[in-house]
Amino acid sequence: MELTITNLSKQFKDKTAVDDVCLSLTPGVWGLLGANGAGKTTLMRMIADILNPTSGKILYDGKDIRTMGEEYRNLFGFLPQDFGFFQDFTVKDYLEYIAALKDVPARETRKKIDSLLHTLTLDDVRNKKIIKLSGGMKRRVGIAQAMLNDPKILIMDEPTAGLDPGERVRFRNLVSEFSHGRIVLISTHIVSDIEYIATKNAIMKAGKIVNVGTTDELVNQVKGKVWTCVVPAEKITMYEMQLRIINQRSEGNNQVSIRYLSDEGKTSNSVLAPPRLEDLYLWLFPQEEIIERGI
Ligand SMILES: Nc1ncnc2c1ncn2[C@@H]1O[C@H](COP(=O)(O)OP(=O)(O)OP(=O)(O)O)[C@@H](O)[C@H]1O
């Protein structure tokens, strides 16, 4: 199974949101990483066949998805970024409705909904109206609807936005288990959410895919560039101006431990640290704040 994206572009008036993207998605979990405005949502909406490309093609096992119609939709699950429809439905009614739309056989619907509600810890709110749910609960209902038809291709735009740390762990386990023999594409700028579950990552910048690889391959690119050291607290402002600090932690006794990115150690007590995917991300997107560390 393969989803092949060839020379895909999307132009909005004077903005090229997706710029000549080529990417071959094979089964496994794919992390789509990029800063705000990089073009992730636009790319995902074209893969979901709800937005027409300006040019280029997406082929599913050699077939143009735009000619597949229903056949493509049936093997597809999508969690859009703005999931806010059907607010007056209860969770259960909404999922039953989506199951019917997706032609899930009636005898399987109940079992499937029960199992997803259980895994996503939504049992207690099954009879509540969607409008009354918290943001994290709504997101989980969105994840459930995307997975209802056991899709072969599952696309989720920022699925972990609003989830608490426990929910993030459950989400990661659910996705890992689900991904066998399927293509799962997850966009996020919370790097830690996909770091350990992504089979491969694609990094997007200004509409282009600038890097593709396993987490280990990508992380290797910043090997030898991630340093840690302990500095006096009163000097931290000076270090903040001089170094690309990506984390700091107070150690007490007016000491601060810092982690920074540099081609070489900048203090005599700096030691190299094992790099993480987040380090590469910040290396590529120096202007990005760490939005959330997750766990
Ligand atoms: N319908 C549209 N009309 C005009 N410009 C658009 C439209 N949709 C997206 N854009 C622009 O295209 C660029 C890419 O947007 P997109 O939403 O795909 O990025 P993103 O990586 O998903 O960002 P975020 O993480 O903030 O959702 C942005 O500059 C955005 O303003």
Side-chain angles (χ1 to χ4, degrees), residues 2-264:
E2 191 165 17
L3 202 58
T4 318
I5 299 165
T6 345
N7 303 111
L8 198 72
S9 295
K10 181 69 190 181
Q11 186 78 32
F12 293 113
K13 289 193 185 127
D14 55 351
K15 175 85 201 171
T16 309
V18 170
D19 190 0
D20 202 28
V21 162
C22 294
L23 187 64
S24 187
L25 298 172
T26 44
V29 179
W30 284 77
L32 181 62
L33 293 169
N36 288 328
K40 305 178 298 295
T41 296
T42 307
L43 175 61
M44 288 185 140
R45 295 184 73 217
M46 289 192 283
I47 300 174
D49 197 22
I50 53 176
L51 183 70
N52 292 336
T54 307
S55 56
K57 273 193 176 152
I58 304 171
L59 305 178
Y60 174 72
D61 284 345
K63 278 193 256 178
D64 189 332
I65 62 163
R66 304 206 54 215
T67 64
M68 290 175 69
E70 192 87 334
E71 189 195 345
Y72 187 63
R73 263 176 284 287
N74 283 344
L75 50 85
F76 202 85
F78 183 48
L79 171 69
Q81 196 170 47
D82 299 313
F83 165 76
F85 320 109
F86 304 99
Q87 301 274 17
D88 272 333
F89 278 55
T90 65
V91 171
K92 180 174 130 298
D93 288 350
Y94 169 66
L95 292 177
E96 280 174 357
Y97 174 69
I98 297 292
L101 280 186
K102 290 186 169 185
D103 287 335
V104 178
R107 64 186 182 292
E108 286 173 25
T109 298
R110 215 169 120 200
K111 221 170 111 196
K112 189 78 206 159
I113 291 177
D114 283 351
S115 147
L116 280 167
L117 289 180
H118 182 68
T119 315
L120 290 158
T121 52
L122 289 166
D123 295 294
D124 292 349
V125 295
R126 62 192 299 137
N127 294 317
K128 261 200 173 178
K129 283 191 177 179
I130 292 179
I131 198 167
K132 300 226 163 119
L133 304 182
S134 70
M137 284 173 186
K138 281 186 190 155
R139 206 81 203 133
R140 282 179 278 145
V141 174
I143 294 166
Q145 66 78 29
M147 295 174 106
L148 260 181
N149 58 333
D150 273 331
K152 285 272 171 219
I153 304 169
L154 176 60
I155 309 281
M156 293 192 275
D157 198 354
E158 301 280 353
T160 54
L163 299 193
D164 69 29
E167 289 161 0
R168 290 199 142 80
V169 172
R170 279 192 290 277
F171 170 77
R172 291 202 295 253
N173 292 340
L174 174 68
V175 167
S176 282
E177 253 174 57
F178 183 79
S179 67
H180 300 295
R182 303 165 202 273
I183 296 169
V184 180
L185 179 66
I186 298 174
S187 84
T188 184
H189 35 222
I190 303 172
V191 184
S192 56
D193 278 341
I194 50 114
E195 177 164 26
Y196 296 112
I197 59 164
T199 321
K200 280 205 169 179
N201 304 282
I203 300 183
M204 210 170 172
K205 191 172 183 176
K208 290 188 179 292
I209 300 286
V210 292
N211 246 311
V212 177
T214 63
T215 297
D216 284 347
E217 284 163 356
L218 293 178
V219 153
N220 248 328
Q221 297 177 23
V222 274
K223 206 170 167 194
K225 297 183 195 318
V226 186
W227 301 85
T228 55
C229 67
V230 175
V231 297
E234 68 269 17
K235 292 204 172 154
I236 197 71
T237 314
M238 180 191 89
Y239 282 116
E240 275 173 347
M241 284 192 288
Q242 291 176 356
L243 302 176
R244 279 173 65 186
I245 296 180
I246 50 178
N247 193 39
Q248 42 180 294
R249 186 181 64 218
S250 171
E251 299 290 352
N253 290 339
N254 282 329
Q255 300 281 299
V256 180
S257 147
I258 60 173
R259 182 180 177 93
Y260 66 95
L261 291 170
S262 171
D263 282 321
E264 59 201 22

